[in-house]
Amino acid sequence: MEKIRHDLRLFETISPFGVGAIVDVRGESLMAPDTSWWDKKFAQEISCERLMARLGAGVLRQPPAHASRAAKETPALLYWRFPAWRFCERCDKLSKLTGRKKGKWSNTCDCGGVLVPMRYVAVCEKGSHIQDINWFQWAHRGRAASLNEAVRFCRDYKALRFHKLATRGEGLAALVVKCYGCKNERKLAELVTKGALHQDGIRCAGRQPWESESSVKKPCPYELVAVQRGATGNYIAERVSALDIPEERPQSAEAADKIRCHMLFEKVVTDNGGPQSEVLAQLIAEDLGVTAETVLGVAAGEEGAPGELLLDLKDGEWSAFRKKLDEGRDRTGSDFVVDGRSLEGLVGPQSLLGKISGIGQVRRVREVRALQGFRRHDAEATLINADLGSDRSYRPTYPAIELFGEGIFLRFDEEKLAAWEAQPEVQARAGILKTRRADSSWAGRLDVPEPRYIALHTLAHLLIRRLAFASGYASAALQERIYANSDRTDKTAGILIYTAAGDAQGTLGGLVRLGDPKRLIPLLVAALDDADFCSNDPVCIESDRQGASQLNLSACHGCSLVSETSCETGNRLLDRQLVLGGSDVRGLLDDVLTDVRRPR
């Protein structure tokens, strides 16, 4: 083991170079082992009760890192060399051997050439395993090997070469692995056909590269697929983040408690859906200011089952933001400081002001991001935990980082939003993305693209693009969090745009200053004006098949897309027409620009 000093930013150890990911460091191709390899003395524990309550048992730890120049004994992360097979760029020699220079391991061949990692590796179709391709074994298989005894029994391990044949063009047919001992050669074009590795007798080892052979309890039944080393699908991280805010109970939960405490509630439960229960439910509803359906739902135990992890986290955050907006000036001095601002007396287009029910200046917010695990090749493949050590069953260690920042929160009027999304043409427009999400094998991990989500998500992107010009932060430094769900007991309709960084860069004040309603409303109008005309129009506005897996409608890099690290869904589920309107659909804010441009 040799030390290679290389600086990675702290957040890069979670994404994109977290546990199980391949990272290139000074010509070396390395992979990060799981957290059982960490020296826990130098891995600071991070506290976030909200996140751990959802993840279950375990502990959050910050990866061992340093903030200045690395010394000899500076704590650092270990990385495993992968793939082990490399070829010399000078003499084309292909092997797993590592050169030595002045008694130390080096990434150079005996001839002095630099060793380059092989560009193809083997990934398990469903088990999320990855391994080296045994190039010596592969080179001595195939059609020629079955006919030639010299090839089958060749043991000249040092005679393997990997080179490009200029006479065969630029494709995989021009890349050849040849054994100069038995003279057998195979083109890489034979490697990528379906079932090629299985036919050559190469099976899945059932483990990650850094795990020992003894860690495999039973053979992996899935076939291997040859993929390029840097392919995106080789690493699909499962990350979750939570804002460290005081947990507030949703309004539906508080209302359910009041209903259960009502003196007539026991009689509603006893009648069990009979005619008397409906009359009593109506009386309780009138006393408490709720609906009779809500009372009957609580009596039947249907006040709302907990949803998936991210939605569950967002419900608590939404309730906390609503409480902060109602309280006005925040003088708590905690890690979650939000000043609620009123829109009363504000001058601006009423078509915009009427749809916004509150603005919050988020002066301080703490976010914790954690890596649960990862998958490979397929979004439905087995999830590999970030901790594969002996403690993984009762106290796993999750890599995590904490970030501090500021932001702007926008709450939209529920009644007007619900009336807009009830229109048949609006539902039909959103239904296009719902169908494509359902047809995709991996898009089920994304939010449900109901009309309010698409409109507020697109508006958040438009505002991020405009804020990048006015806040002093780059677009990639801004993050979004969309609260838009009508299926929950407590319907949500809001946007949080914030910046978070591991140092003071995320709290410079430029963003929260723009949260003043007098500054924010003109910025919103300017963002809508920017999106009204796209440099790719009319192609963009008339298109409904853009983005990865065609999960965008009228949205492109010229108008709506931002850095993928800023977006919750990786620049998917966007549509300008549901914000600004189109020929066949009314947008959520389609009257705003008309009001602004109308002669006074």
Side-chain angles (χ1 to χ4, degrees), residues 332-460:
T332 58
S334 63
D335 280 340
F336 183 59
V337 179
V338 182
D339 289 341
R341 301 299 300 270
S342 172
L343 298 178
E344 293 182 7
L346 194 65
V347 178
Q350 290 303 310
S351 52
L352 175 60
L353 297 177
K355 292 185 174 70
I356 298 176
S357 60
I359 294 176
Q361 289 180 283
V362 185
R363 299 193 177 277
R364 181 176 173 86
V365 64
R366 176 177 178 261
E367 180 190 14
V368 177
R369 300 178 189 172
L371 176 67
Q372 283 184 281
F374 60 90
R375 308 176 197 269
R376 301 195 193 278
H377 188 65
D378 191 337
E380 301 300 322
T382 304
L383 177 66
I384 304 297
N385 293 328
D387 188 349
L388 298 176
S390 57
D391 296 343
R392 61 183 171 184
S393 58
Y394 63 93
R395 189 177 169 80
T397 297
Y398 297 102
I401 55 173
E402 60 178 351
L403 309 115
F404 295 91
E406 55 175 325
I408 300 170
F409 180 77
L410 281 168
R411 179 186 173 192
F412 288 80
D413 187 270
E414 176 61 36
E415 291 185 7
K416 294 183 179 179
L417 195 58
W420 166 76
E421 68 180 353
Q423 301 175 51
E425 59 272 19
V426 172
Q427 289 289 338
R429 182 78 177 172
I432 298 173
L433 292 182
K434 284 185 180 180
T435 302
R436 292 176 188 167
R437 175 183 178 271
D439 293 342
S440 174
S441 60
W442 59 269
R445 303 162 65 227
L446 305 178
D447 292 79
V448 178
E450 54 183 312
R452 68 171 64 196
Y453 183 87
I454 300 172
L456 296 185
H457 185 207
T458 308
L459 182 61

Side-chain angles (χ1 to χ4, degrees), residues 243 245-246 248 314-327 336-338 340 360 362 365 408-409 411 481 483 495-496:
L243 301 181
I245 64 179
E248 297 292 341
K314 284 186 174 181
D315 281 346
E317 294 169 9
W318 173 256
S319 301
F321 275 116
R322 288 190 57 169
K323 182 178 180 180
K324 290 287 188 180
L325 293 187
D326 294 338
E327 292 176 349
F336 183 59
V337 179
V338 182
V362 185
V365 64
I408 300 170
F409 180 77
R411 179 186 173 192
R481 204 161 177 89
Y483 305 89
I495 295 171
L496 171 65

